[in-house]
Amino acid sequence: MWKYTPVYWGRRPRHFHAEPEMNLIVRGAAVFGVGRDIVHAAAGELLSFPPGQDHVLLEASPDLYLYAIGLAPGYSAQVLATERENIALPCHIRLTTSDFKALSARAAGIVDRVGVDQPGAELWDHAHWLRRKYSSAEGHAMHVLTRRALSAVSESPNLCLTLLAQQLRASPSEVSRYFHRDVGIKLVRYRARLRLLRFIALVDEGGDNLLASAEAASFGSYSQCHRTFQAELGCGPREFLGQRQRMQTAYDP
């Protein structure tokens, strides 16, 4: 978890990652690009992005101050295990003054610190409890098909639309339509991103054989993996991995 102000941090390009993320706006205002949508947020509001959801900070007021909170996917699922779908879901809600102060106090107590797994998990659980509470009360809850699709695809990114629809007992067009509306990107692209992130994780775990890692990440072939890389990141896997290693070597110290 870290804090963001325009004074100390530059702008990151549009990006997505394996970790689910929440942004708590403490002060000021911001405009985010989330999938195909433009989202205006101000102090007292909470946003969340599931794994693979692209987002970017487009505009920021000079006094913007926010907490960005992320958990490893497996740890997030463990923390949210009591939910029907134990996945961090997208949201954009305005908190009451008391809820905002309580969540901000939790965040201020652990920001930029290490060794705070337990209080971090408690903050994550509290934030998602607020998401459920406000989304339900305000009638902003996403469609049940989207919630279940996100949960199913996070567990099995290779699940095709036809089988997913059968599992959800709905038509493929219905699942696709609600997913695109609620998440802001098409389901097929979201699935491809999750496989891409899985491929990178497998390589990081010691998978020197890119072909084997591509197959383990549910790509039909290495060429399909290469095409997904090119479409999402603008380069091939070898170029991406080499460039990342050079950046780590340059900036880690």
Side-chain angles (χ1 to χ4, degrees):
M1 183 176 133
W2 65 98
K3 55 184 178 292
Y4 172 92
T5 65
V7 175
Y8 296 110
W9 296 94
R11 303 280 182 86
R12 295 184 68 185
R14 184 178 289 267
H15 62 283
F16 61 90
H17 36 71
E19 299 79 16
E21 179 182 332
M22 283 190 157
N23 285 178
L24 176 63
I25 313 298
V26 178
R27 186 176 64 241
V31 179
F32 294 90
V34 184
R36 63 177 182 178
D37 298 326
I38 301 297
V39 177
H40 296 259
E45 296 183 3
L46 179 69
L47 296 88
S48 65
F49 316 113
Q53 171 69 72
D54 59 287
H55 51 281
V56 60
L57 177 62
L58 298 173
E59 298 178 23
S61 64
D63 62 337
L64 177 66
Y65 186 97
L66 66 80
Y67 291 121
I69 310 153
L71 251 67
Y75 194 33
S76 173
Q78 180 182 342
V79 171
L80 303 178
T82 56
E83 290 196 28
R84 185 173 181 179
E85 292 91 18
N86 58 339
I87 181 173
L89 296 172
C91 77
H92 178 202
I93 54 178
R94 171 167 287 280
L95 305 174
T96 63
T97 300
S98 59
D99 283 335
F100 172 62
K101 287 183 177 179
L103 192 61
S104 297
R106 283 182 181 269
I110 64 174
V111 67
D112 294 333
R113 292 175 54 195
V114 296
V116 291
D117 288 6
Q118 183 59 36
E122 292 170 358
L123 182 150
W124 192 252
D125 184 55
H126 186 155
H128 281 276
W129 179 81
L130 291 172
R131 173 188 60 75
R132 296 192 298 274
K133 169 186 171 183
Y134 282 83
S135 295
S136 176
E138 298 174 9
H140 294 161
M142 66 174 53
H143 198 279
V144 63
L145 288 177
T146 303
R147 294 202 314 270
R148 293 177 179 174
L150 280 166
S151 180
V153 172
S154 68
E155 294 179 4
S156 303
N158 60 327
L159 195 62
C160 72
L161 178 57
T162 300
L163 292 179
L164 175 62
Q166 290 176 358
Q167 182 175 319
L168 301 182
R169 299 182 180 179
S171 69
S173 61
E174 192 178 21
V175 174
S176 291
R177 183 172 70 255
Y178 284 119
F179 190 95
H180 196 193
R181 184 199 70 178
D182 292 336
V183 182
I185 59 174
K186 293 183 177 180
L187 179 58
V188 64
R189 188 173 186 186
Y190 184 77
R191 289 170 51 243
R193 286 179 179 176
L194 294 186
R195 293 200 301 272
L196 185 154
L197 291 167
R198 176 59 181 155
F199 169 82
I200 294 172
L202 288 167
V203 173
D204 287 344
E205 292 169 6
D208 295 330
N209 188 325
L210 298 188
L211 174 59
S213 295
E215 292 176 347
S218 301
F219 285 105
S221 63
Y222 179 73
S223 61
Q224 183 187 5
C225 177
H226 192 283
R227 286 195 299 271
T228 303
F229 251 89
Q230 195 69 45
E232 294 294 341
L233 300 176
C235 64
R238 293 185 187 280
E239 183 181 352
F240 169 85
L241 295 167
Q243 183 174 344
R244 190 183 61 166
Q245 182 59 53
R246 289 191 294 272
M247 291 174 65
Q248 288 176 336
T249 301
Y251 290 108
D252 274 352

